[in-house]
Amino acid sequence: MFYNKLKAQLQADSKETAFSIFVGFPSTQMVEMVAYNGFDVVVIDNEHGMLSDENVEHMVIAAENAGVTPLVRVVSSDPAHILKAMDRGAHGVHVPQVDDKEQATQVVKAVKYPPIGKRGAAFSMRAAKYGTEPIAEYLAHANTQSLVCIHIESEKAMENLEEILSVEGIDMVFIGPTDLSVSLGYGGSIDHPEVLKSIDEIYQLATERGVKVGIHTKSKEGAKQREEWGADYVSLTVTSLLNEAFKAYITGVKEKKIKQNH
C-alpha cells in the first residue's frame, strides 16, 4: 500500500517547503524527469490538461516508481471525478474552485471511505492492489494516507473562508493567484495590493487553524519568495518552466546574431 511522503512532511511540521509541478499533457517520461530532478510532488493536471483516465493511471504509476508523490488535479468537486482519480492510485487530489463549506465537506467525503466519508469501495482497482490486500487494512490505510487539497481562488471562497477552514479533513488549501485576481475584478494582476492582501488573509487564517498552505507561482524567483513568505507547498506549471528554459537557451545561442542584426 502507498505511503504519502508529502502528507508525512506536512504533518511533521518540518518547516521545509515542498515543491511541486503541474503536468497537463500525457507523458510518463515527463513525470519521471520531474522525480529525477528532485521535485517532491507531481500534480497530474486533469482540470486543464488533456488526459484520459488511462493517462492518469500510467502517470501515477510512473510517479510511484520514480519516487515522487502523485496528486491529481480533478475537474471539479464532483465526487465522481474524485473517485476516478483516487481509484487510479493518486495519493490525493487538488480540487479547484471550492467556494463554500458544503463543497469542502463534499470533497473530504469523496476522498475518504466510511466511516469518515462516502467514497465508493471497489477492491479490484489499482489503488487497492487489485484486491490482494486485506480489505479492512486497505480501507484504514487509504483514509490515513490520502491527502485533501482544496483550491481557494474566488471572491465567494474568500467570503466563506472561515467556514471552509472549519471542515475537518482538509490537509491543505491551495491559492491560485490568477483565478483569485480575476474573480476579485483585477483581471490577472496577481501583484495588485488587494489580491496580495487576500492571499495574506488566507495564509493567516489557515495557519491559525492548523491547515497547511500551498500557492502557485510562475518562476523560480516567485517560488523562493513564497518559500520565504511561509508557504508549506509551492507549485508551478511545467510549461512555465520549459518556456523559461527554452527562451534562455535560444536567446543565449542566438545572442551574437541578434547583436549583428541591430
Side-chain angles (χ1 to χ4, degrees):
M1 289 183 275
F2 75 91
Y3 171 68
N4 194 325
K5 292 192 290 186
L6 173 63
K7 186 161 185 173
Q9 178 177 332
L10 295 176
Q11 290 178 334
D13 289 325
S14 65
K15 306 303 179 185
E16 289 187 12
T17 302
F19 293 95
S20 80
I21 190 162
F22 283 71
V23 178
F25 46 84
S27 175
T28 55
Q29 295 85 356
M30 183 60 68
V31 170
E32 290 178 322
M33 290 170 68
V34 164
Y36 299 153
N37 280 287
F39 281 87
D40 301 296
V41 179
V42 59
V43 182
I44 300 162
D45 187 2
N46 212 21
E47 180 192 15
H48 296 295
M50 48 181 181
L51 305 173
S52 68
D53 291 335
E54 183 178 18
N55 293 147
V56 170
E57 183 162 299
H58 288 171
M59 291 167 76
V60 169
I61 292 171
E64 289 184 329
N65 287 341
V68 64
T69 299
L71 304 180
V72 175
R73 176 158 70 170
V74 293
V75 176
S76 73
S77 59
D78 186 328
H81 296 148
I82 295 171
L83 177 64
K84 281 286 189 181
M86 296 304 296
D87 278 358
R88 305 285 70 75
H91 291 196
V93 287
H94 270 251
V95 183
Q97 301 291 341
V98 176
D99 291 334
D100 55 41
K101 182 178 181 179
E102 289 71 28
Q103 268 187 294
T105 301
Q106 177 177 274
V107 170
V108 174
K109 289 186 178 297
V111 171
K112 306 294 184 179
Y113 290 113
I116 300 172
K118 296 182 178 180
R119 178 180 169 186
F123 306 108
S124 59
M125 75 320 189
R126 182 177 180 273
K129 291 191 174 180
Y130 312 106
T132 61
E133 297 287 349
I135 291 174
E137 290 181 21
Y138 163 71
L139 293 173
H141 184 83
N143 275 352
T144 300
Q145 293 295 312
S146 54
L147 184 137
V148 177
C149 173
I150 63 169
H151 289 214
I152 302 296
E153 49 193 357
S154 72
E155 183 176 20
K156 186 176 180 181
M158 291 299 303
E159 292 169 357
N160 296 319
L161 185 58
E162 290 200 46
E163 286 193 351
I164 292 171
L165 290 170
S166 73
V167 175
E168 188 174 352
I170 296 172
D171 297 294
M172 180 163 61
V173 292
F174 185 79
I175 304 165
T178 300
D179 276 323
L180 183 60
S181 71
V182 171
S183 180
L184 292 173
Y186 301 108
S189 299
I190 61 175
D191 292 324
H192 189 282
E194 289 301 317
V195 177
L196 295 175
K197 180 181 176 182
S198 295
I199 290 172
D200 287 339
E201 181 182 343
I202 296 168
Y203 179 83
Q204 181 177 349
L205 284 174
T207 52
E208 286 175 0
R209 286 156 180 75
V211 178
K212 301 301 182 182
V213 178
I215 191 165
H216 190 269
T217 64
K218 293 184 177 180
S219 66
K220 177 178 66 177
E221 292 73 23
K224 291 299 294 181
Q225 180 185 16
R226 286 306 178 184
E227 181 184 27
E228 293 168 3
W229 172 72
D232 302 289
Y233 173 93
V234 175
S235 193
L236 82 168
T237 57
V238 69
T239 48
S240 295
L241 199 56
L242 289 174
N243 283 333
E244 184 179 352
F246 291 159
K247 288 177 182 177
Y249 170 80
I250 205 65
T251 300
V253 297
K254 288 188 174 182
E255 186 175 11
K256 183 177 179 181
K257 185 182 292 186
I258 292 170
K259 288 180 178 178
Q260 288 175 341
N261 291 338
H262 288 285

